[in-house]
Amino acid sequence: MFSKFLSLEPERRNAILNAALKEFARKGYDEASTNVIAKEAGISKPLMFHYVNNKKDFFLSLYDYCLEVLEREYFSQINLDEKDIFQRLRQTCLLKIQLMQKHPWIFDFTRVAVYTDSEVVKDELAKRRKMVETNLYERFYGDIDTSCFRSELDAEKSKQLIFWAVGGYENQILEQFKSADVLEFDFEKIRNEFDGYLNELRKAFYK
């Protein structure tokens, strides 16, 4: 049934996807309203269920779809041969921003799905999570080269401070995608601004 939904023309499909991601991310599975999803997507509820079957199947299929998108357009695009912390963070942050231009609520939705306690879907999600690597920090940041850090610094604490700084900037940009028209965003401007902040961090932490 979900394959039929994904075969919709992109504009309508993405309107429904993004409306569902937003509603589930903000309210969780139990409190999310399919009426709200249909209204925000600009279609009738009966037509939506013609493509997505029911709320439970829609939520679980949406979770599977998001994992596929994240693997294809985010995780698999990160160059793990790059060991410099700033270059690695540059990759992950910019990839995340690019993805959120298409699906502003995708990361919030997957986070809600992972931690949901809804009796309706939690067992099904638990089965799915067994196939997903949970320690993403170790996967993407466990092999960072710390030899460039100034000798008087604690490398692990410095890494954490850098993560917090970059995460703060990243969250500031990502929050804007949820409340504004993403077509207004100048990706080149964001990238140049981000590079400027990374250069300042290099001065503070590197030899």
Side-chain angles (χ1 to χ4, degrees):
M1 178 65 79
F2 204 65
S3 61
K4 186 176 181 180
F5 167 72
L6 294 177
S7 68
L8 284 167
E9 55 90 13
E11 186 175 352
R12 169 166 286 190
R13 180 190 66 221
N14 286 335
I16 299 171
L17 281 171
N18 288 328
L21 290 172
K22 179 180 179 181
E23 180 69 3
F24 284 126
R26 294 176 66 185
K27 299 179 182 177
Y29 176 81
D30 291 330
E31 299 300 320
S33 167
T34 53
N35 289 322
V36 171
I37 294 171
K39 182 178 180 180
E40 186 156 330
I43 64 170
S44 68
K45 185 175 176 180
L47 179 58
M48 184 178 74
F49 279 118
H50 171 71
Y51 292 110
V52 300
N53 199 17
N54 58 52
K55 181 180 177 181
K56 178 181 178 181
D57 286 349
F58 189 20
F59 184 89
L60 294 173
S61 296
L62 194 60
Y63 179 72
D64 293 338
Y65 175 76
C66 286
L67 292 185
E68 292 175 8
V69 171
L70 288 170
E71 184 60 37
R72 181 177 66 250
E73 300 186 33
Y74 181 63
F75 297 129
S76 68
Q77 300 300 312
I78 298 170
N79 177 14
L80 297 179
D81 292 330
E82 176 58 71
K83 306 301 182 184
D84 181 271
I85 189 171
F86 296 109
Q87 289 300 322
R88 185 75 67 80
L89 285 169
R90 185 180 189 273
Q91 290 183 60
T92 56
C93 183
L94 294 179
L95 284 168
K96 187 176 288 189
I97 289 172
Q98 286 179 305
L99 180 54
M100 286 189 67
Q101 288 183 80
K102 291 189 287 185
H103 301 302
W105 293 87
I106 189 169
F107 290 97
D108 291 285
F109 169 78
T110 52
R111 190 178 305 115
V112 165
V114 165
Y115 293 108
T116 187
D117 58 359
S118 170
E119 293 295 334
V120 180
V121 295
K122 69 177 184 179
D123 289 342
E124 289 293 331
L125 288 172
K127 296 175 185 176
R128 285 162 165 77
R129 285 198 295 271
K130 291 179 181 178
M131 300 182 292
V132 180
E133 186 174 355
T134 56
N135 196 341
L136 296 179
Y137 177 89
E138 284 302 316
R139 179 180 175 184
F140 295 110
Y141 303 112
D143 61 347
I144 290 297
D145 179 11
T146 59
S147 63
C148 292
F149 285 103
R150 300 206 320 262
S151 58
E152 69 271 23
L153 297 177
D154 181 305
E156 291 304 312
K157 286 186 173 62
S158 296
K159 284 167 60 177
Q160 188 60 64
L161 288 168
I162 293 167
F163 291 141
W164 286 337
V166 172
Y169 173 78
E170 177 185 280
N171 288 335
Q172 176 182 309
I173 297 299
L174 299 183
E175 283 301 314
Q176 295 177 48
F177 284 111
K178 302 172 187 175
S179 59
D181 184 353
V182 296
L183 296 177
E184 297 175 359
F185 285 82
D186 185 336
F187 184 73
E188 187 66 25
K189 180 180 179 181
I190 292 173
R191 182 166 57 189
N192 290 335
E193 180 182 65
F194 186 41
D195 285 342
Y197 286 125
L198 290 178
N199 286 334
E200 293 304 311
L201 285 171
R202 285 190 184 91
K203 295 176 187 177
F205 290 95
Y206 274 12
K207 297 173 185 177

